Amino acid sequence: MAKGYQNLLTTPGRKLASRQIGIMTKLIVICAVITYFNWGLLYAYSLLVGGIVVIVPNIIFAYKAFKYAGASASRKVMESFYSGVKLKMLYTALLFALVFKFLVISPLIFLSTYCVVVFLTLLLPVFLTER
Protein backbone atom coordinates (compact mmCIF):
# COMPACT_ATOMS: atom_id res chain seq x y z
CA MET A 1 0.00 0.00 0.00
CA ALA A 2 1.27 3.44 -0.87
CA LYS A 3 2.30 5.73 1.96
CA GLY A 4 0.14 8.60 0.62
CA TYR A 5 -2.90 6.34 0.79
CA GLN A 6 -2.21 5.57 4.44
CA ASN A 7 -1.87 9.26 5.21
CA LEU A 8 -5.20 10.02 3.55
CA LEU A 9 -6.99 7.46 5.71
CA THR A 10 -5.40 8.66 8.93
CA THR A 11 -5.85 12.37 8.22
CA PRO A 12 -9.29 12.79 9.91
CA GLY A 13 -8.09 11.05 13.09
CA ARG A 14 -4.88 13.05 13.20
CA LYS A 15 -6.79 16.30 12.66
CA LEU A 16 -9.22 15.51 15.47
CA ALA A 17 -6.39 14.53 17.82
CA SER A 18 -4.39 17.64 17.05
CA ARG A 19 -7.42 19.93 17.46
CA GLN A 20 -8.19 18.24 20.77
CA ILE A 21 -4.62 18.57 22.03
CA GLY A 22 -4.46 22.19 20.86
CA ILE A 23 -7.69 23.12 22.65
CA MET A 24 -6.58 21.37 25.85
CA THR A 25 -3.20 23.12 25.75
CA LYS A 26 -4.78 26.54 25.25
CA LEU A 27 -7.28 25.97 28.07
CA ILE A 28 -4.55 24.84 30.45
CA VAL A 29 -2.36 27.85 29.70
CA ILE A 30 -5.30 30.26 30.08
CA CYS A 31 -6.33 28.64 33.37
CA ALA A 32 -2.72 28.72 34.60
CA VAL A 33 -2.45 32.45 33.86
CA ILE A 34 -5.76 33.16 35.62
CA THR A 35 -4.69 30.99 38.56
CA TYR A 36 -1.35 32.79 38.77
CA PHE A 37 -2.98 36.20 39.12
CA ASN A 38 -5.58 34.98 41.63
CA TRP A 39 -3.72 32.44 43.79
CA GLY A 40 -0.02 32.64 42.96
CA LEU A 41 2.81 30.81 41.30
CA LEU A 42 2.61 27.49 43.18
CA TYR A 43 -1.01 26.84 42.19
CA ALA A 44 -0.46 27.99 38.60
CA TYR A 45 2.63 25.80 38.30
CA SER A 46 0.77 22.81 39.78
CA LEU A 47 -2.09 23.35 37.34
CA LEU A 48 0.29 23.59 34.40
CA VAL A 49 2.18 20.44 35.40
CA GLY A 50 -1.10 18.54 35.89
CA GLY A 51 -2.11 19.43 32.35
CA ILE A 52 1.28 18.49 30.91
CA VAL A 53 1.06 15.04 32.52
CA VAL A 54 -2.09 14.44 30.46
CA ILE A 55 -1.08 16.13 27.22
CA VAL A 56 2.35 14.57 26.66
CA PRO A 57 1.11 10.94 26.82
CA ASN A 58 -1.86 11.91 24.61
CA ILE A 59 0.50 13.25 21.95
CA ILE A 60 2.46 9.99 22.02
CA PHE A 61 -0.75 7.96 21.82
CA ALA A 62 -2.11 10.01 18.91
CA TYR A 63 1.12 9.56 16.98
CA LYS A 64 1.07 5.79 17.48
CA ALA A 65 -2.70 5.28 17.05
CA PHE A 66 -2.93 7.09 13.71
CA LYS A 67 0.18 5.65 12.13
CA TYR A 68 -1.62 3.06 9.97
CA ALA A 69 -5.06 2.75 8.41
CA GLY A 70 -7.00 0.57 6.00
CA ALA A 71 -8.37 -2.96 5.86
CA SER A 72 -5.15 -4.43 4.50
CA ALA A 73 -3.22 -2.98 7.44
CA SER A 74 -5.73 -4.01 10.12
CA ARG A 75 -3.14 -6.00 12.07
CA LYS A 76 -0.74 -3.05 12.05
CA VAL A 77 -3.58 -0.71 13.06
CA MET A 78 -4.40 -2.83 16.11
CA GLU A 79 -0.75 -3.34 17.08
CA SER A 80 -0.09 0.37 16.73
CA PHE A 81 -3.16 1.25 18.79
CA TYR A 82 -2.24 -1.16 21.59
CA SER A 83 1.38 -0.06 21.65
CA GLY A 84 0.12 3.55 21.81
CA VAL A 85 -2.05 2.70 24.82
CA LYS A 86 0.86 0.93 26.52
CA LEU A 87 3.19 3.87 25.90
CA LYS A 88 0.55 6.32 27.13
CA MET A 89 0.18 4.39 30.40
CA LEU A 90 3.95 4.06 30.79
CA TYR A 91 4.60 7.77 30.20
CA THR A 92 1.73 8.77 32.48
CA ALA A 93 3.12 6.65 35.32
CA LEU A 94 6.65 7.91 34.65
CA LEU A 95 5.55 11.55 34.63
CA PHE A 96 3.57 11.08 37.86
CA ALA A 97 6.63 9.57 39.53
CA LEU A 98 8.91 12.34 38.29
CA VAL A 99 6.48 15.07 39.37
CA PHE A 100 6.05 13.74 42.89
CA LYS A 101 9.76 12.96 43.26
CA PHE A 102 11.33 16.15 41.92
CA LEU A 103 8.81 19.01 41.78
CA VAL A 104 7.35 21.16 44.51
CA ILE A 105 3.64 21.30 43.69
CA SER A 106 0.26 21.50 45.35
CA PRO A 107 -0.95 17.87 45.10
CA LEU A 108 -4.62 18.84 45.27
CA ILE A 109 -4.36 21.30 42.37
CA PHE A 110 -2.16 18.92 40.38
CA LEU A 111 -4.50 15.94 40.78
CA SER A 112 -7.63 18.05 40.25
CA THR A 113 -6.24 19.43 37.01
CA TYR A 114 -5.17 15.96 35.91
CA CYS A 115 -8.71 14.61 36.48
CA VAL A 116 -10.41 17.55 34.75
CA VAL A 117 -8.15 17.33 31.70
CA VAL A 118 -8.64 13.55 31.44
CA PHE A 119 -12.41 14.12 31.58
CA LEU A 120 -12.06 16.87 28.97
CA THR A 121 -10.13 14.43 26.77
CA LEU A 122 -13.14 12.12 26.84
CA LEU A 123 -15.67 14.89 26.29
CA LEU A 124 -14.01 17.00 23.55
CA PRO A 125 -14.45 14.55 20.64
CA VAL A 126 -18.23 14.78 21.12
CA PHE A 127 -18.09 18.50 20.39
CA LEU A 128 -15.36 18.40 17.74
CA THR A 129 -16.79 15.74 15.42
CA GLU A 130 -18.93 16.92 12.57
CA ARG A 131 -22.36 15.38 12.32
Side-chain angles (χ1 to χ4, degrees):
M1 184 182 324
K3 189 165 180 73
Y5 182 67
Q6 291 174 347
N7 289 339
L8 288 177
L9 290 175
T10 59
T11 299
R14 284 182 185 255
K15 279 185 179 179
L16 178 64
S18 93
R19 280 181 62 201
Q20 182 178 353
I21 290 168
I23 289 170
M24 287 189 311
T25 303
K26 289 173 190 169
L27 285 173
I28 290 166
V29 169
I30 290 167
C31 289
V33 169
I34 292 168
T35 302
Y36 172 73
F37 287 115
N38 287 316
W39 294 285
L41 183 61
L42 178 66
Y43 287 169
Y45 181 69
S46 301
L47 188 143
L48 198 58
V49 171
I52 289 170
V53 169
V54 178
I55 290 174
V56 170
N58 277 338
I59 291 170
I60 293 165
F61 171 75
Y63 174 76
K64 292 292 282 183
F66 298 114
K67 195 171 186 176
Y68 302 104
S72 62
S74 62
R75 180 174 296 265
K76 286 184 178 181
V77 170
M78 291 306 294
E79 288 173 359
S80 181
F81 183 83
Y82 287 129
S83 72
V85 170
K86 289 176 191 175
L87 281 174
K88 181 178 175 178
M89 294 168 122
L90 176 71
Y91 276 92
T92 301
L94 180 65
L95 288 172
F96 259 93
L98 291 173
V99 165
F100 283 118
K101 176 83 174 164
F102 296 110
L103 300 180
V104 176
I105 57 162
S106 169
L108 181 63
I109 302 298
F110 170 77
L111 292 172
S112 299
T113 303
Y114 177 83
C115 292
V116 167
V117 176
V118 166
F119 181 71
L120 185 63
T121 303
L122 299 173
L123 196 60
L124 265 178
V126 173
F127 296 108
L128 294 178
T129 54
E130 297 171 8
R131 294 181 187 123

